[in-house]
Amino acid sequence: GGLPDKLNFTLVEPLNKLFKDEVRTLGLKLGLHKTIITRQPFPGPGLAIRILGDITKSKVTLLQQADKIIQDTIYKYNLQHEYWQYFAILTNSKTVGIRGDIRSYEYVLAIRIIQSKDAMTANFAKVDFDILEEMSSCITNNIIGINRVVYDITSKPPGTIEWE
């Protein structure tokens, strides 16, 4: 998804009919190290799909910084094997906040952490509030451009794992 209708090359996708759990199983059978198979996202889209609205270099940078904080926090608490996926979504919404002593008008970032066996259905993870608070504080205190963090508690269905 997301490719233009007309390409200047032939697209070869021999595994495009496999689901994520099947790709992970295949990776294990091929001898790929578990750290590769469980990395985020694997398999899956690049970060651009997690940016709502226009994709710009500055938005990609914001999302990369926030996603790194989420990844680092998950690893800090050794939770990387507890969840199917964990990631940030940079929404296209901005809200009023306070940065220093002045008002700011910056993006809302959503955190999505889900548990699943095969990605066909998924439940939002009931992450400890202290961990979510740590992620939120680190993101809003260190990333100029994001002043609000929300946690997505939608299961699949009715939602999907990704937002786009």
Side-chain angles (χ1 to χ4, degrees):
L3 293 174
D5 291 332
K6 190 169 186 151
L7 301 172
N8 294 327
F9 56 87
T10 301
L11 181 64
V12 178
E13 295 182 292
L15 306 178
N16 70 339
K17 300 291 187 224
L18 297 180
F19 292 104
K20 287 184 180 189
D21 63 315
E22 295 168 326
V23 173
R24 286 180 171 170
T25 299
L26 179 61
L28 287 171
K29 288 183 180 188
L30 289 172
L32 295 178
H33 195 274
K34 191 171 181 177
T35 57
I36 293 172
I37 294 169
T38 59
R39 79 172 176 84
Q40 300 289 315
F42 177 87
L47 291 180
I49 198 170
R50 296 176 180 160
I51 297 172
L52 306 184
D54 294 336
I55 299 168
T56 65
K57 185 175 182 176
S58 61
K59 285 181 175 181
V60 170
T61 299
L62 290 174
L63 185 61
Q64 286 172 326
Q65 293 171 345
D67 202 64
K68 180 167 180 14
I69 290 169
I70 292 167
Q71 302 293 320
D72 289 350
T73 306
I74 293 292
Y75 274 83
K76 175 182 173 182
Y77 291 99
N78 199 29
L79 296 170
Q80 64 272 20
H81 302 295
E82 298 293 318
Y83 308 126
W84 180 265
Q85 277 184 258
Y86 38 92
F87 55 91
I89 303 102
L90 186 64
T91 74
N92 206 27
S93 298
K94 288 187 171 183
T95 62
V96 174
I98 305 291
R99 188 163 297 282
D101 291 333
I102 59 172
R103 287 192 184 275
S104 66
Y105 192 61
E106 299 174 332
Y107 288 104
V108 176
L109 182 97
I111 295 174
R112 181 98 164 117
I113 304 175
I114 60 109
Q115 294 177 304
S116 181
K117 290 188 183 351
D118 57 13
M120 299 305 290
T121 61
N123 294 314
F124 70 91
K126 294 171 179 72
V127 180
D128 183 281
F129 285 148
D130 291 336
I131 293 172
L132 290 173
E133 181 180 21
E134 182 176 328
M135 289 178 188
S136 176
S137 294
C138 192
I139 289 166
T140 56
N141 289 334
N142 294 297
I143 303 175
I144 295 173
I146 299 171
N147 68 3
R148 188 173 307 265
V149 175
V150 297
Y151 186 61
D152 182 351
I153 61 166
T154 309
S155 293
K156 176 185 178 182
T160 59
I161 293 173
E162 300 288 347
W163 278 30
E164 287 283 348

